[in-house]
Amino acid sequence: MLRQGSLGQRVATAGALLASLMALPAISYMLTAGLRARYLIEWNLPFGSCELALDPLTLIFLIPIFLVFAAGSLYACGYWPASSKPASEPPLTFFYGLLAAAMAMVVVSRNGALLVMSWEVMALSGYFLMSAEHTDPEVGKAGLVYLVASHLGAASLLVLFSLLAGATGSFLFPAAGSLHVSSSLAAILFFAALLGFGSKAGIMPLHIWLPSAHANAPSHVSAILSGVMLKMGIYGILRVITFFPERPLWWGELLVVAGLVSALMGICIASAQKDIKRLLAYSSIENLGLITAGIGAALYGEATGSSRLAYLGMAGALFHILNHGMFKPLLFFGAGSVMHATGTREMDRMGGLSSRMPWSTLLSLAGAVAICGLPPFNGFASEFLLYLGFFGEARSSQPLLALGAPVLALVGGVAVISLVKLFGITFLGAPRSEGAAHSHESPASMLVPMGVLAGLSLVGGIFPQLFLSLVNPVVGALALGAPAGYAAPVRPIALTAAGAALPLLAGAIFLVLKRRELASPRATGPTWGCGYLAPAPRIQYTASSFGQLMGSLSTPLIRSRTSRGTVAGVAPVEASFRYQPEETLLGKVAMPALRGAATVSAFIRRLQHGEVQIYMLYIFATLFVLLLSVR
């Protein structure tokens, strides 16, 4: 499986696999046993002690880091080998490992300055990874937007940790529940954390960098960006929340609203996409929105004294963090296999791949079922917890939160439509292009990581108690008013898991019947052609036509950018029509703002003449203005 890569790539992949095989069992053991660790490292920087620590919250975020890092490293040996990518493979391999190390450092840091430094290394590593094909103008544009958004988020983090240092007298993180500050300062700290970490998590409207970055990055890079790096924003929000002994009710309400809005808007925009990776990128916004809503529900339950809601919200959010770290990289790997075989990201140019890529089709189907929240895969189990939490509020004295239940149902329905489009248009039907007609199955180095992630997704759906045993210690450590072993929802999940085994039984019966069918003689003939004497691939549904209904319902969120040729004359030349869905917030608000900032920056840049006497004049003029203002 490692033969396709260069020697350096093979060594790096072997190291990644070995590190993950050593780390994941140790992390799982520490979580279930309730163990903690703390380390102090000597350094010469003027930011207090350099402290690293492992606690339940850190450990659960380390799981997707090591899992996806190892899977993506192996996948890259077939998807991005040195034989076909000699110039970009070495830096890509280096920054892939650096990104994983930086994310691990982010979650183990207990010093604000160290976390910000690790955060910047993580952000820059992500930039160099997603800009692997920097000669493409679209990639360069996506990288610029990513850098601007990352540095704006980092500026909020500088404000956050500077204020924390001023309040506590140290850059070290305060112990859980020990930060006693005024309500106004607490609100400022919360908003700074929400802006800084929320921009990395892709919470709307802080998501402007995400769709283009994930769509234009190599697929194994998109997998770690979406499956892991987005969660670093969620980790930061949770870590800051733990500092406070009491969390106001409005914190939970704000997170619930922000999460549900992100989930609904994200999946509605995804349903109109025809770029397979851009669709997956917007669905990541949906899933991070569900996680954010779960955290908000937990804070709401804590503030209202509902231990049931506190447990269900936080356990559902943490469970979904693990699950999303499995099925979303699986889907990006599946998209990479399709692109590797067809040479395009446009679903309108795919089709008919199931007969040529049977294993990629089966594994991608598993990821699609999981992300739709359908049994027997793990997405169902974690979303079921969130449903229980929101539905249960209908019987409370303040049933307002129950309004989130129909929003979750709507999100789930649109997600099914989007993933049916993705799978059906991509893998079923007849090929719509030469690339699809001559596609080929991916090598084992790409299929094995997909199989591992699909298997874990299936295990998490049939035996959710295994994953809940990793989640419960974290819920208890967060001290949200719910005991770590709160068992009320576990029994219904076990029952639904038993019911989820029915599709497996149905699949076994199908295989037996299929085998009998193949053994018996059969005849073939044409079916009814619906009135068409010569059916062609062009009469099939495309991604654009399939998503037209949802696109028309989501016109406030999406606008259609079209271009068409002119048909004129007695014998008109060949004309074409192109359709490109574009998010209104990005096209009408974010990008004009960035262009305006670029114009202002270009004007300011003219002041940099490189002449010392001019700079001295600037200094003199500044001092003169300051002296006048003081007088």
Side-chain angles (χ1 to χ4, degrees), residues 63 82 140 155 185 344 468 500 568:
I63 292 176
L185 180 57
T344 180
L468 283 174

Side-chain angles (χ1 to χ4, degrees), residues 303-327:
T304 57
S306 173
S307 59
R308 180 181 184 277
L309 179 60
Y311 174 85
L312 290 171
M314 188 58 67
L318 295 171
F319 196 178
H320 205 67
I321 285 172
L322 292 179
N323 293 339
H324 185 259
M326 297 171 190
F327 57 66

